[in-house]
């Protein structure tokens, strides 16, 4: 959420803030980058500066598609890739390449510890830990014993447990989820007649808004709640009909976990242990968390594992700062798992082998086929949700499935590529690790299995001539839809789309600037990255693009109007701030003649001055709150906080006064005798501020910033 909150407040009050990392995420995917992993096109731009060089003693040069001469010559497949799909990775060269890639990123991006495992064709090709799991006392990362939080990768275990019950006939994938939930947790209609089905939870199309601030993570174990209680108390609004679009939902995954638990009669952590972890021999993986035993909560993490959990870190100018443990068992099915690279290697082998591992059948062929089958029909390159698993577009026109994951401090990614018999897992214990985990699978595949091609792709003259079809401002669906969090959500999910004179489409959002070109006929509305395999798909009707989906398929970005553009609210904020400062200054700068006024003008002056003081107070308090957002944890754990509530309350009161100011405006202009009334310039100034404050108030209300009671 670092960049998210910063942009939000800058847009509202035009204050310069230190960047804060994007929430739409953090979290077990709660704040996974709403557009999915960082596009490979962006990562390739960094390659020249960050590409490691394999140590000559261990491996030859590691440049995609390169052909060496002499004794170090490498074989290049007919496709131009260094290896064909049937050729396995060379272990020594792979280790040398990964060592360089990871260590370079750790130094450049300030990552304390990393754990990696890569499997292929039933064998562990690489399993390694880098850096530190704790600093005081110093403890190095061990790939077999150090547990990292894997965030939303936890959901994949939930989907396996759910699909096992579907395969057994105990749950119908097209049945209403309410059939499998206790009455107090059943999804309410909320104006939508169509029921939410089990499949809607797996493809994230149930229609829930997405809320996270103040409850997704807890640092105080005393605030932990049972899963059922959390789902009842933190029930989100339904904001669209089920099945309409995919919009990532941690709450939906929590409901799925509770449904499986309710049907089987087992607490969720015990269910996962019995059905997956123990049969798969994943002895260092758990959904339990280290806390004092409580009768209303699942049993805590086993004592043998507690000292093996890595600390989470944040990089500061003074060095690494450890963070307290991030409790999330209250919605454990969405993100409470902790695991080692060694155990995740076994898990990826299980996925690649159709649910069987060491002669243990964890799930059957029907479930395995489901994880190869999209639930949604999307354009090529757009994730169709393979029964809960994400579909990845990879270099070399390859595809895989898996899931990224994130907490406040831990960033992870898991990708399996059946065509190559390959599985790649990486996790970091520092909040700055997201770029590495996002790019790592693609870098490895690009290095060995993708041919080198000339980038960037050429622009399109047709796109240049039809730029207005696509250009505009789009707001993502994965956000809160009311309260102060809705204001943050509008900013975090916004993307500006433009077209360059060279005929390339440009998207600008909190995840950076990316460029795209048409992938096939422009009428299809599908675009491919200028320097990678990622795609965007626009929905076009009546000659205008209405929305688009990015490769991750985690949300739909919908075209919006003038009033939802950050530039609009930012401009209004600047004008309101200047008007408020001028109003206060006027109290001290007016001469005696300018103090002549009628009784109604006197009241109007009081209203105007009160508004100015309230606006300036609100801006000041928002700025004070913004200073604390450099650490994402302050926002998550402390949301909303007294400072933010008072700031919103001041803005709300000033907004109410705006109505009064407009009502008395005609009386202000009528005035009295010339010597007892405001002059024309002061009447005009009052009118200007009254209208400006009203417009600003309406806009803030539209954005959700005037609801201190709903935070």
């Amino acid at each position: 959420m670092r960049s998210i909150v910063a942009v939000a407040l800058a847009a509202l009050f035009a204050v310069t803030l230190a960047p804060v990392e994007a929430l739409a995420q953090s979290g077990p995917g709660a704040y996974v980058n709403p557009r999915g992993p960082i596009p490979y096109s962006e990562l390739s731009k960094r390659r020249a500066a960050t590409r490691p060089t394999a140590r000559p003693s261990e491996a030859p040069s590691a440049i995609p598609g390169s052909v060496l001469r002499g004794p170090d010559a490498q074989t290049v497949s007919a496709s131009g890739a260094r290896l064909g799909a049937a050729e396995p990775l060379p272990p020594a060269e792979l280790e040398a390449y990964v060592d360089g890639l990871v260590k370079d990123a750790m130094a450049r991006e300030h990552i304390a510890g990393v754990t990696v495992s890569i499997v292929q064709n039933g064998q562990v090709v690489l399993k390694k830990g880098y850096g530190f799991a704790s600093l005081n006392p110093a403890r190095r990362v061990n790939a077999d014993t150090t547990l990292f939080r894997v965030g939303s990768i936890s959901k994949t275990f939930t989907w396996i447990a759910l699909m096992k019950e579907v395969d057994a006939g105990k749950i119908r994938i097209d049945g209403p989820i309410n059939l499998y939930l206790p009455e107090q947790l059943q999804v309410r209609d909320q104006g939508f007649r169509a029921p939410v089905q089990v499949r809607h939870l797996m493809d994230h199309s149930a229609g829930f808004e997405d809320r996270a601030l103040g409850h997704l993570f807890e640092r105080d174990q005393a605030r932990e709640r049972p899963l059922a209680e959390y789902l009842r108390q933190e029930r989100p609004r339904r904001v669209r009909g089920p099945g309409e679009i995919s919009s990532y939902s941690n709450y939906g995954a929590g409901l799925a976990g509770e449904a499986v638990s309710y049907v089987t009669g087992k607490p969720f952590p015990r269910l996962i242990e019995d059905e997956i972890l123990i049969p798969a021999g994943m002895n260092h993986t758990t959904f339990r968390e280290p806390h004092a035993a409580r009768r209303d909560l699942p049993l805590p993490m086993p004592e043998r594992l507690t000292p093996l959990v890595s600390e989470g870190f944040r990089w500061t100018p003074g060095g690494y700062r450890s963070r307290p443990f991030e409790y999330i068992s209250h919605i454990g099915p969405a993100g409470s798992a902790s695991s080692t690279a060694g155990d995740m290697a076994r898990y990826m082998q299980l996925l690649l082998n159709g649910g069987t591992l060491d002669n243990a059948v964890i799930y059957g062929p029907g479930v395995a086929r489901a994880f190869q089958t999209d639930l949604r029909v999307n354009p090529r390159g757009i994730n169709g949700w393979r029964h809960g698993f994400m579909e990845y577009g990879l270099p070399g026109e390859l595809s895989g499935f898996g899931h990224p994951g994130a907490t406040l401090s831990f960033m992870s990614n898991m990708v399996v590529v059946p065509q190559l018999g390959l599985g790649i897992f990486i996790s970091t214990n520092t909040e700055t690790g997201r770029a590495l985990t996002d790019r790592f699978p693609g870098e490895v595949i690009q290095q060995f299995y993708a041919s080198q091609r000339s980038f960037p792709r050429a622009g399109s003259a047709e796109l240049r001539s039809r730029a207005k079809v696509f250009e505009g401002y789009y707001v993502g669906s994965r956000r809160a839809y009311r309260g102060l969090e809705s204001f943050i959500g509008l900013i975090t999910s916004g993307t500006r789309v433009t077209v360059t004179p060279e005929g390339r489409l440009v998207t600008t959002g909190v995840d950076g600037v990316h460029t795209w070109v048409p992938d096939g006929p422009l009428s299809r509305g599908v675009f491919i990255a200028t320097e990678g395999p990622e795609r965007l798909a626009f929905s076009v009707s009546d000659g205008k693009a209405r929305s688009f989906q990015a490769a991750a398929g985690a949300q739909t970005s919908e075209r919006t109007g003038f009033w939802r553009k950050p530039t609009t609210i930012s401009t209004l904020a600047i004008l309101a701030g200047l008007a408020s400062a001028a109003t206060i200054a006027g109290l001290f700068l007016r001469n005696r003649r300018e103090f002549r006024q009628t009784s109604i003008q006197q009241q109007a002056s009081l209203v105007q001055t009160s508004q100015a003081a309230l606006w300036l107070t609100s801006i000041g308090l928002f700025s004070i709150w913004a200073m604390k957002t450099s650490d994402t944890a302050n926002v998550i754990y402390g949301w909303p906080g007294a400072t933010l509530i008072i700031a919103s309350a001041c803005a709300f009161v000033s907004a109410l006064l705006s109505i009064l100011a407009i009502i008395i405006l005609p009386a202000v202009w009528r005035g009295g005798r010339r010597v007892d009334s405001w002059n024309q310039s002061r009447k005009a100034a009052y009118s200007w501020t009254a209208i400006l404050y009203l417009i600003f108030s309406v806009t803030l209300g539209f954005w959700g910033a005037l609801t201190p009671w709903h935070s």
Side-chain angles (χ1 to χ4, degrees), residues 256-270:
E258 177 63 22
V260 179
S261 179
Y262 186 66
V263 168
T264 61
K266 291 184 179 182
F268 184 79
R270 175 67 182 277

Side-chain angles (χ1 to χ4, degrees), residues 142-220:
N142 183 302
D144 284 313
T145 59
T146 305
L147 277 69
F148 278 55
R149 312 300 303 279
V150 298
S152 277
I153 297 176
S154 307
K155 293 181 177 69
T156 63
F157 294 86
T158 301
W159 304 135
I160 290 175
L162 176 60
M163 286 304 301
K164 283 169 62 71
E165 299 307 312
V166 171
D167 198 43
K170 297 180 181 179
I171 292 178
R172 290 189 297 112
I173 196 168
D174 291 322
I177 188 61
N178 284 349
L179 294 176
Y180 313 108
L181 292 171
E183 190 279 331
Q184 66 271 23
L185 298 184
Q186 292 179 2
V187 179
R188 299 168 182 170
D189 291 346
Q190 295 184 354
F192 297 94
R193 298 182 62 182
V196 174
Q197 299 175 356
V198 173
R199 65 181 294 123
H200 295 143
L201 303 183
M202 303 188 80
D203 68 6
H204 296 270
S205 67
F208 299 127
E209 66 175 339
D210 188 52
R211 296 189 300 106
L213 302 183
H215 60 81
L216 185 63
F217 294 101
E218 297 288 356
R219 60 183 165 193
D220 182 0

Side-chain angles (χ1 to χ4, degrees), residues 75-94:
T75 301
V76 179
S77 69
S79 68
R82 293 189 44 216
L83 298 176
E87 297 179 88
L89 291 164
E93 185 177 344
L94 173 67

Side-chain angles (χ1 to χ4, degrees), residues 568-583:
T568 299
I569 200 168
S570 178
T571 300
L572 289 173
I574 293 172
L575 293 175
L578 292 174
S580 297
T583 298

